[in-house]
Amino acid sequence: MKLVVQKYGGSSVATTEKILKVADTVIKRKDAGEDIVVVVSAMGDTTDDLISLAKGVSHNPSKREMDVLLSTGEMISASLLAMALINKGYDAISYTAYQISIKTNGGYGKSLIEDIDVTRVEESLNEGKIVIVAGFQGINEVGDITTLGRGGSDTSAVALAVKLGGRCEIYTDVDGIYSCDPRKYKEAKKLEYIEYEEMLELASLGAQVMHSRSIELAQKYDIPVYVGLSCSNIVGTEIRGGKTMNLESKPVTGIATSDDDVAITIEDLKSDINIICELFEKIGSKKINIDMISQTAPINGYVNVSFTVPKTEIIEAMDILISLVDKSQIVVDEEITKFSLVGIGMKCTSGVAAKLFRIFSDGNIDVKMITTSEIRITCAIKQEDKLKALNLVAKEFNL
Amino acid sequence: MKLVVQKYGGSSVATTEKILKVADTVIKRKDAGEDIVVVVSAMGDTTDDLISLAKGVSHNPSKREMDVLLSTGEMISASLLAMALINKGYDAISYTAYQISIKTNGGYGKSLIEDIDVTRVEESLNEGKIVIVAGFQGINEVGDITTLGRGGSDTSAVALAVKLGGRCEIYTDVDGIYSCDPRKYKEAKKLEYIEYEEMLELASLGAQVMHSRSIELAQKYDIPVYVGLSCSNIVGTEIRGGKTMNLESKPVTGIATSDDDVAITIEDLKSDINIICELFEKIGSKKINIDMISQTAPINGYVNVSFTVPKTEIIEAMDILISLVDKSQIVVDEEITKFSLVGIGMKCTSGVAAKLFRIFSDGNIDVKMITTSEIRITCAIKQEDKLKALNLVAKEFNL
């Protein structure tokens, strides 16, 4: 019997009406002869509502207790979906994290799945039941409830597909993965397939469709993951390994943009590797996530060093910098966009960077910083140039 | 160190402001040197809101899934109270049913507590923590979440007090146990003490202050239970065993009234014990809860048999009766009140019944049915006579 793990996001189960629609969709697949495990997120705004309750009793809520609180959201939607299916005459059963031993490690609010004991899930499937699992949650080594971070239900679904040996389908409010954001570039093309690595670069670069840890897990165990619109017949996108793909076809798969960072430049820093090293060590020790780093060539023994940090961490970063260099040396640019071209094909296609720079140059788009990986080129550009850049580049690379 | 298990009901934790107030009250006791375990109910209307969500996906929601759904209410309030205490600088930790193995048996929605593993609770108390436990829930022998029925958090609290060897305090929105309903009889007196047995009769007779199973449990293990208004200095009532009481003091402790039943009379039934037996067996087999039963003396071999059933079960009861006797023989009286006098002192005081009937007779109050136990007299009277009866009887017995 074919086994599929489906995940429905918060917007897909936001109301009881939508839960009934999800039940109908699940039933169609069950009737077609598949074994089905459904992972659900919390209904619509439940998580935000719970967070605001927590803020009502504490300015800085205990992380352990926050995880207890948030885990209820997925228990609610899981039990409601099971009820809906049972009401429609299908045998269904919901499981919480502790009932199927979703073991986690790592901190509260951001833990990792270590293992799942799928014995009860398999027993229930063998009894003909549709199994509903509360996503996003696990139990750590001391028996505390921990959550997997926003979007963590994606990872719950992939982990279950790995352990059960099934395929995985993620249903959400977008109808697939696009080469670039269709709200910003109207002709953006939906991708039929995308490789794990490409999706990882896109997920971490601001294309917020999937929890990036879920892609890493799918890649590690080579589980194909389908992403599509819930309760619809529109064909979505399959995320999968490279074996079956034609690497020659296209050097660039997609574009991701992000306005979530600021660029910081330290001017006239003594060109001394120890000083620069101390700078990044101190910032790193505060768990501030530095991304792009660039350094100018030394002039008279002095260099300019630039890097980006998340907007949410700018105050902490500044505190550290002010303790190290004179305030007048620090220039902060909050108006940047990280513009990234991603494509597994870049590995064996030269000239992508050159083509990109030519487009930017012809379009009068100023590039402030550049970083690259094997399958990605990222440029920091002015936010005001973002839409122009997106349209020009998407068109030239036929995305 | 003194140990106390406090339970706060839904109205006491209905908002984040009220949760903060409960936290302050708990802290005062902690500062006074007590070890504290707090059992919480779901916030205010949470349980009703969850039930209406369930009704949105199913007309007859699965009982197993309903218990999963409802158990989230207490997890929410438990985690919020722990957060509030931590925010005020006190170490606190919340536990769900499965984290402290609250083992249950019996059906969903009405299960009984079999055992609690208090190891983690004791460890946390030894570490100086205030322990918060989600009430109302347990885990059955197959690992499913089950709930204890409305008011079940009282039983969670008493069970924890039994296992931990502490005293138990139930905080609610009434300031103690009264000799009769103070909304109906203004001079009703609050009791300083009440015995388990009396409280059991009152709880099961419509004085809806406490979950009656919690009293049975307290009685079994002789744990005193204090009932009072939350976050207040008003002195409430202690429910306890009879050892320390003066049995001679007063024959009647309290009055309870209930309008939740209907009286059914079968007229001209053949006076044959087999027929009457069959009648009650058939009703009993449908789990319909028959309470008062009375039978007239046979006249020419025929009797009238009357009994009360809960209003909610009248349709099922009628279906059975119509299959056994002619419809014309059945008389239903929906306008009755069960009026009960309760007092451990009745055991050794004669004349209570006589005095009661004299009051009714002088007051022109018609008594339709009578049942008695060792410590209780219950009369079915007309609903329209309820307030008059309450005032006359309370005054005469000095309640």
Side-chain angles (χ1 to χ4, degrees):
Chain A
M1 173 109 49
K2 269 182 10 182
L3 184 137
V4 61
V5 178
Q6 298 190 325
K7 179 254 173 176
Y8 290 89
S11 58
S12 311
V13 292
T15 62
T16 51
E17 290 74 26
K18 285 188 169 188
I19 289 173
L20 290 168
K21 248 177 122 177
V22 167
D24 289 334
T25 311
V26 168
I27 283 170
K28 264 185 218 150
R29 297 285 290 272
K30 178 73 182 167
D31 286 345
E34 290 179 79
D35 275 346
I36 305 178
V37 175
V38 183
V39 175
V40 284
S41 297
M43 293 171 77
D45 301 324
T46 306
T47 303
D48 292 329
D49 293 345
L50 291 171
I51 290 172
S52 77
L53 272 179
K55 298 277 177 196
V57 296
S58 174
H59 299 297
N60 181 24
S62 149
K63 289 197 167 81
R64 178 192 185 276
E65 300 302 331
M66 192 57 132
D67 275 2
V68 176
L69 183 68
L70 294 183
S71 71
T72 63
E74 280 71 18
M75 288 173 67
I76 292 171
S77 48
S79 57
L80 289 174
L81 180 57
M83 284 177 198
L85 288 163
I86 293 166
N87 193 53
K88 288 172 186 287
Y90 286 75
D91 207 358
I93 188 163
S94 75
Y95 288 122
T96 63
Y98 90 88
Q99 288 175 321
I100 57 170
S101 292
I102 301 183
K103 286 192 196 124
T104 52
N105 58 40
Y108 300 112
K110 53 176 180 185
S111 61
L112 305 170
I113 294 179
E114 207 168 65
D115 201 5
I116 303 177
D117 178 357
V118 290
T119 316
R120 276 192 87 173
V121 174
E122 286 174 332
E123 277 169 14
S124 295
L125 290 173
N126 289 340
E127 287 162 12
K129 292 188 170 102
I130 298 166
V131 174
I132 322 294
V133 175
F136 181 61
Q137 58 187 261
I139 305 292
N140 72 7
E141 59 283 3
V142 298
D144 287 347
I145 297 168
T146 68
T147 63
L148 311 177
R150 283 254 162 173
S153 294
D154 293 342
T155 302
S156 309
V158 173
L160 279 163
V162 167
K163 291 291 290 188
L164 292 163
R167 79 180 244 113
C168 183
E169 300 173 352
I170 306 287
Y171 290 101
T172 173
D173 52 1
V174 300
D175 66 357
I177 314 287
Y178 281 76
S179 56
C180 47
D181 189 338
R183 286 167 302 185
K184 291 177 190 134
Y185 178 62
K186 277 185 190 155
E187 284 103 86
K189 296 194 185 79
K190 186 160 57 181
L191 304 167
E192 193 179 350
Y193 302 109
I194 185 169
E195 290 208 26
Y196 298 123
E197 278 183 78
E198 294 174 317
M199 190 62 207
L200 271 173
E201 292 281 6
L202 289 168
S204 65
L205 289 170
Q208 292 158 336
V209 179
M210 292 273 298
H211 197 217
S212 48
R213 285 196 348 250
S214 67
I215 317 285
E216 286 166 2
L217 194 62
Q219 180 177 30
K220 187 169 167 192
Y221 292 95
D222 202 17
I223 297 279
V225 177
Y226 172 89
V227 178
L229 192 63
S230 30
C231 309
S232 137
N233 292 320
I234 301 170
V235 176
T237 301
E238 184 161 284
I239 310 169
R240 61 183 198 185
K243 288 170 300 219
T244 57
M245 290 187 70
N246 180 2
L247 288 184
E248 321 294 313
S249 61
K250 236 181 178 185
V252 176
T253 307
I255 299 172
T257 63
S258 162
D259 301 340
D260 296 338
D261 296 67
V262 295
I264 298 175
T265 302
I266 319 285
E267 294 179 336
D268 301 324
L269 197 65
K270 206 165 170 224
S271 177
D272 178 341
I273 187 68
N274 290 321
I275 294 174
I276 294 169
C277 183
E278 193 192 352
L279 181 81
F280 288 115
E281 268 176 6
K282 289 217 166 167
I283 294 177
S285 71
K286 292 283 176 189
K287 308 258 183 231
I288 294 169
N289 197 8
I290 293 175
D291 185 14
M292 304 178 76
I293 299 176
S294 68
Q295 185 194 311
T296 56
I299 297 173
N300 301 329
Y302 287 88
V303 295
N304 290 355
V305 173
S306 302
F307 52 88
T308 62
V309 299
K311 277 186 180 154
T312 50
E313 290 165 5
I314 180 71
I315 294 169
E316 273 176 292
M318 286 302 284
D319 285 347
I320 296 164
L321 293 176
I322 287 166
S323 72
L324 294 172
V325 300
D326 192 84
K327 211 175 165 182
S328 67
Q329 288 174 268
I330 306 168
V331 180
V332 175
D333 184 353
E334 301 201 26
E335 300 294 316
I336 62 154
T337 288
K338 288 201 301 188
F339 185 99
S340 303
L341 272 193
V342 172
I344 206 96
M346 283 191 205
K347 280 185 183 174
C348 43
T349 312
S350 56
V352 173
K355 190 171 169 184
L356 178 66
F357 299 147
R358 167 57 53 207
I359 297 165
F360 281 167
S361 166
D362 287 350
N364 241 342
I365 292 164
D366 197 18
V367 176
K368 292 159 179 264
M369 293 165 79
I370 302 166
T371 54
T372 59
S373 79
E374 241 190 333
I375 68 162
R376 175 176 58 83
I377 302 171
T378 301
C379 299
I381 61 173
K382 287 186 206 157
Q383 263 176 40
E384 61 186 64
D385 289 337
K386 180 170 68 173
L387 282 185
K388 182 163 77 173
L390 192 60
N391 280 276
L392 288 173
V393 175
K395 202 169 160 221
E396 285 292 328
F397 281 98
N398 191 28
L399 299 176
Chain B
M1 174 109 50
K2 272 187 359 186
L3 185 138
V4 61
V5 179
Q6 298 191 324
K7 179 255 175 175
Y8 290 90
S11 58
S12 311
V13 292
T15 62
T16 51
E17 289 75 24
K18 286 188 169 187
I19 289 174
L20 289 168
K21 248 177 121 177
V22 167
D24 289 334
T25 309
V26 169
I27 283 170
K28 265 185 218 150
R29 296 286 291 270
K30 178 73 184 165
D31 286 347
E34 289 179 80
D35 275 346
I36 304 176
V37 175
V38 183
V39 174
V40 285
S41 296
M43 294 171 75
D45 301 325
T46 307
T47 303
D48 291 330
D49 292 346
L50 291 171
I51 290 171
S52 78
L53 272 179
K55 296 278 177 195
V57 297
S58 174
H59 300 296
N60 181 23
S62 150
K63 289 197 168 81
R64 177 191 187 275
E65 299 302 333
M66 192 58 132
D67 275 2
V68 177
L69 183 68
L70 294 184
S71 71
T72 63
E74 281 71 18
M75 288 174 67
I76 291 171
S77 47
S79 58
L80 290 175
L81 179 56
M83 282 177 198
L85 288 163
I86 293 166
N87 193 52
K88 288 173 186 288
Y90 287 75
D91 207 358
I93 188 163
S94 76
Y95 288 122
T96 62
Y98 90 88
Q99 287 174 322
I100 57 171
S101 292
I102 301 182
K103 284 190 198 127
T104 53
N105 58 40
Y108 301 111
K110 54 175 180 189
S111 61
L112 304 171
I113 295 180
E114 206 168 68
D115 201 5
I116 302 178
D117 178 358
V118 288
T119 316
R120 276 191 88 174
V121 175
E122 287 174 331
E123 278 169 13
S124 296
L125 290 173
N126 289 339
E127 289 161 11
K129 292 189 169 101
I130 298 166
V131 174
I132 322 295
V133 174
F136 180 62
Q137 58 188 262
I139 305 293
N140 72 6
E141 60 283 3
V142 298
D144 286 347
I145 297 168
T146 68
T147 63
L148 311 177
R150 283 254 164 173
S153 294
D154 294 342
T155 303
S156 309
V158 173
L160 278 163
V162 167
K163 292 292 289 186
L164 291 164
R167 79 180 242 113
C168 182
E169 299 174 352
I170 306 288
Y171 290 101
T172 172
D173 51 1
V174 299
D175 64 359
I177 314 289
Y178 281 77
S179 55
C180 48
D181 189 338
R183 287 167 302 185
K184 290 178 193 134
Y185 178 61
K186 278 187 190 152
E187 284 103 85
K189 296 194 185 79
K190 187 160 57 181
L191 303 168
E192 194 179 350
Y193 302 108
I194 186 171
E195 289 207 29
Y196 299 124
E197 277 183 79
E198 295 174 315
M199 189 64 207
L200 271 172
E201 292 282 7
L202 289 169
S204 66
L205 288 172
Q208 291 158 339
V209 180
M210 293 273 299
H211 198 218
S212 50
R213 287 201 343 256
S214 67
I215 316 284
E216 287 167 1
L217 195 60
Q219 180 176 31
K220 187 170 169 192
Y221 292 95
D222 201 18
I223 298 279
V225 177
Y226 171 90
V227 178
L229 192 63
S230 29
C231 310
S232 139
N233 292 320
I234 301 170
V235 175
T237 302
E238 185 162 282
I239 310 169
R240 63 183 196 185
K243 287 171 299 218
T244 57
M245 289 187 71
N246 180 3
L247 289 183
E248 322 295 314
S249 61
K250 232 181 183 186
V252 176
T253 307
I255 300 172
T257 62
S258 163
D259 301 339
D260 297 338
D261 296 67
V262 295
I264 298 175
T265 302
I266 319 285
E267 295 178 335
D268 300 325
L269 198 63
K270 203 164 171 229
S271 178
D272 178 340
I273 187 68
N274 290 320
I275 293 174
I276 294 170
C277 185
E278 191 191 354
L279 181 82
F280 289 115
E281 268 175 6
K282 287 219 168 165
I283 294 177
S285 72
K286 291 285 177 189
K287 308 257 182 231
I288 294 169
N289 197 9
I290 293 176
D291 185 13
M292 305 179 75
I293 299 175
S294 68
Q295 184 194 309
T296 56
I299 298 173
N300 301 328
Y302 287 86
V303 295
N304 290 355
V305 172
S306 302
F307 50 90
T308 61
V309 299
K311 276 188 181 154
T312 51
E313 289 165 6
I314 179 72
I315 294 169
E316 272 175 294
M318 285 302 285
D319 285 348
I320 295 165
L321 293 176
I322 288 167
S323 74
L324 294 172
V325 299
D326 192 82
K327 212 175 165 180
S328 66
Q329 289 174 265
I330 306 169
V331 180
V332 175
D333 184 354
E334 301 201 27
E335 301 294 315
I336 61 153
T337 287
K338 288 200 302 188
F339 185 99
S340 304
L341 272 193
V342 172
I344 206 97
M346 284 190 204
K347 281 186 184 174
C348 43
T349 312
S350 57
V352 173
K355 188 169 171 187
L356 179 66
F357 298 148
R358 168 56 53 204
I359 297 165
F360 281 167
S361 168
D362 288 349
N364 241 343
I365 293 164
D366 198 19
V367 176
K368 292 159 179 264
M369 293 166 79
I370 301 166
T371 57
T372 59
S373 79
E374 240 188 333
I375 67 162
R376 175 176 58 82
I377 303 170
T378 301
C379 298
I381 60 174
K382 286 187 207 155
Q383 262 174 42
E384 60 187 63
D385 289 337
K386 181 169 67 174
L387 281 184
K388 182 165 71 171
L390 193 59
N391 280 274
L392 288 173
V393 175
K395 204 171 157 221
E396 286 292 328
F397 283 96
N398 191 28
L399 298 177

